[in-house]
Amino acid sequence: TAQGAMANEVDEGTAAWVVAKPVGRPAVVLSKFLAAVPGVVLGAIVVPGIVLRNLMVEAESRGDTDFSAEEVFRLLETRAGARDEFTTLAPLGRYLGSLTLIAVILLLIVAVMILLGCVVRSRAALFLIGLAVPIGLLVYSVLGPAEIVELTPAWAVDSLLETIDDRDAPVLAPTLITGAWIAGVMTLAMAWFSRKEL
């Protein structure tokens, strides 16, 4: 979805038509990003939340009306264990932290794809560079020097890998660093689109 957000607008001439109206060019780019946010939040946070809610409703229907987060996860493990005896789930804080990290990583990828849509005209190049972003973040999070990784969105990937590996990892700092990178990428996309010949 993010791949065609700006590229389609430019190729089809819609962007030229939109900016001919009293709409600023940065607003066009920002609107593309903001339109993608609900989908990312829905996919990364709301859907798992609905699953958790349904399991809690099921527990309440059995008479369990007052239970802690740990007991909710025991309920989840029981349900998951019915299908796979080796499945274990992380504590609630780690689970919510991993959902947050997934959401900010996806938002970064959306921002990069919007920037690339402003810069690159070739669909194949746009797809390949876009695919290289998460792969590059993953490789850099594993192989990069820790002092520099902590200044990049690769830190969010590193923290996500640690939570998946059932270890405690920072969430707030990587989320803020990735958020700053998202803001920077979107600022660059807005600046590039403002100067782009349509």
Side-chain angles (χ1 to χ4, degrees), residues 169-184:
V171 173
L172 181 60
T175 299
L176 293 175
I177 292 288
T178 305
W181 276 77
I182 291 169

Side-chain angles (χ1 to χ4, degrees), residues 96-176:
L96 295 176
S98 64
L99 291 179
T100 302
L101 292 168
I102 289 169
V104 296
I105 292 166
L106 290 174
L107 288 174
L108 174 71
I109 292 169
V110 167
V112 168
M113 294 305 293
I114 288 172
L115 172 62
L116 291 173
C118 293
V119 176
V120 179
R121 292 192 84 79
S122 166
R123 296 252 185 231
L126 187 62
F127 176 75
L128 291 174
I129 296 169
L131 188 60
V133 170
I135 294 170
L137 287 174
L138 178 64
V139 169
Y140 193 69
S141 72
V142 174
L143 301 177
E147 310 82 40
I148 298 175
V149 166
E150 291 180 356
L151 300 174
T152 69
W155 192 15
V157 175
D158 188 46
S159 290
L160 180 60
L161 292 174
E162 287 181 23
T163 60
I164 290 170
D165 197 29
D166 203 25
R167 292 181 286 157
D168 289 329
V171 173
L172 181 60
T175 299
L176 293 175

Side-chain angles (χ1 to χ4, degrees), residues 59-94:
E60 287 177 355
S61 71
R62 292 192 314 235
D64 299 330
T65 56
D66 185 24
F67 40 80
S68 67
E70 182 179 333
E71 290 167 325
V72 169
F73 272 87
R74 267 195 234 118
L75 173 68
L76 286 168
E77 286 178 353
T78 303
R79 289 286 296 268
R83 294 178 191 87
D84 178 3
E85 61 184 279
F86 300 106
T87 301
T88 59
L89 294 169
L92 185 61
R94 194 176 300 146

